Amino acid sequence: MWTLRRVFRSEGLSYKRIRKSGRHLRNEEEYGFFLTEMKLLQALEDSGETDLYYFDEMGVNLQAVIPYGWQQKGKSGAFMPATQSQNLTTLAFMTRSNQLYPFTCQGAATSEVVIACFEEFVQTIRKKTVVVPDNAPTHHSKGFERKRKEWEKKGLLIQFIPPYCPELNLIEILWKQIKYHWLEPEDFLTRQSLRDALENILATFGKKYQIIFA
């Protein structure tokens, strides 16, 4: 293996983890059109004419996403208890300036839960606001579509990202930071410690925890 790696490196190649992707399924024309739309919306946001939020859900449980960690030399391999638990789901609206409106629930986020979050969020808007979600079934339910018309009358518009383009929803960066960097191994010991740690991150996002968007 090490011999092969040296050969690959001499050829200008690097050893990386292969990720699954649905990029080959997406419509490139829709993808390009959406990028143009988002540049326009971001410009309107920067000028103060419109607010722009990215919306999504994230689930965490006691099966920690921590593939590597530090330990003292000579010690036996580190491990974490393999414990089953129900998902603790976070739903949130996030801006590029690190403003966050989060909600948490135990278990999966149903269409009713998503609608309830939007209903509460729409009460906070003060100008024309665009929300960018993905195409999850809960975002296209009959109940959500009916409410969508009501929200539009209150100034909240929804711009779905194209299918198979999850990287276009900037809140995915937040979920990655939480799961892989900000939650500590000891946070996964109990359901309560996980909830406390997650709620602390959500409450201090924009202050203690920040993301710089290009």
Side-chain angles (χ1 to χ4, degrees):
M1 174 61 76
W2 289 108
T3 301
L4 287 175
R5 287 187 181 181
R6 284 197 292 269
V7 171
F8 290 149
R9 286 171 180 168
S10 68
E11 296 295 327
L13 303 176
S14 60
Y15 190 75
K16 293 186 176 182
R17 181 165 65 92
I18 303 299
R19 294 178 172 85
K20 293 182 179 180
S21 173
R23 291 182 181 180
H24 65 291
L25 298 174
R26 70 189 181 192
N27 184 304
E28 292 298 331
E29 185 176 346
E30 289 183 359
Y31 178 79
F33 178 78
F34 182 85
L35 289 180
T36 301
E37 287 288 295
M38 291 310 299
K39 288 180 181 179
L40 174 60
L41 289 173
Q42 290 174 358
L44 290 173
E45 178 190 30
D46 292 340
S47 70
E49 295 182 48
T50 303
D51 282 338
L52 178 62
Y53 287 83
Y54 298 83
F55 175 84
D56 195 23
E57 304 92 5
M58 173 195 70
V60 295
N61 56 47
L62 296 184
Q63 296 293 318
V65 187
I66 302 178
Y68 300 96
W70 294 99
Q71 69 177 55
Q72 291 182 336
K73 291 183 178 181
K75 296 287 185 179
S76 59
F79 71 93
M80 296 185 67
T83 306
Q84 296 295 327
S85 71
Q86 189 180 39
N87 264 4
L88 178 61
T89 301
T90 299
L91 307 91
F93 301 83
M94 183 199 73
T95 69
R96 292 181 299 149
S97 60
N98 286 200
Q99 286 184 291
L100 191 70
Y101 287 85
F103 304 85
T104 58
C105 69
Q106 198 69 48
T110 63
S111 178
E112 290 74 20
V113 171
V114 172
I115 291 171
C117 293
F118 271 80
E119 282 282 85
E120 185 169 334
F121 175 73
V122 77
Q123 305 303 320
T124 70
I125 68 174
R126 297 293 179 266
K127 65 176 71 170
K128 181 180 177 180
T129 300
V130 178
V131 175
V132 179
D134 62 20
N135 290 279
T138 52
H139 305 159
H140 286 285
S141 68
K142 292 181 179 179
F144 188 91
E145 286 299 324
R146 284 194 298 269
K147 284 293 183 179
R148 183 179 173 183
K149 296 177 182 178
E150 295 181 17
W151 299 329
E152 287 180 356
K153 293 178 181 178
K154 296 179 180 180
L156 189 152
L157 306 177
I158 296 175
Q159 174 69 60
F160 290 103
I161 66 172
Y164 308 109
C165 303
E167 74 278 8
L168 297 181
N169 193 339
L170 296 186
I171 200 171
E172 293 287 352
I173 301 173
L174 172 62
W175 301 152
K176 180 179 179 180
Q177 288 295 113
I178 291 175
K179 285 184 174 182
Y180 291 92
H181 302 287
W182 296 342
L183 285 173
E184 301 290 346
E186 58 267 24
D187 297 332
F188 292 88
L189 295 178
T190 67
R191 283 189 286 270
Q192 189 59 50
S193 63
L194 179 58
R195 176 181 286 275
D196 291 344
L198 178 60
E199 290 182 347
N200 175 64
I201 291 172
L202 297 175
T204 56
F205 180 68
K207 299 175 183 176
K208 180 179 178 181
Y209 300 95
Q210 295 186 354
I211 298 174
I212 299 175
F213 296 101

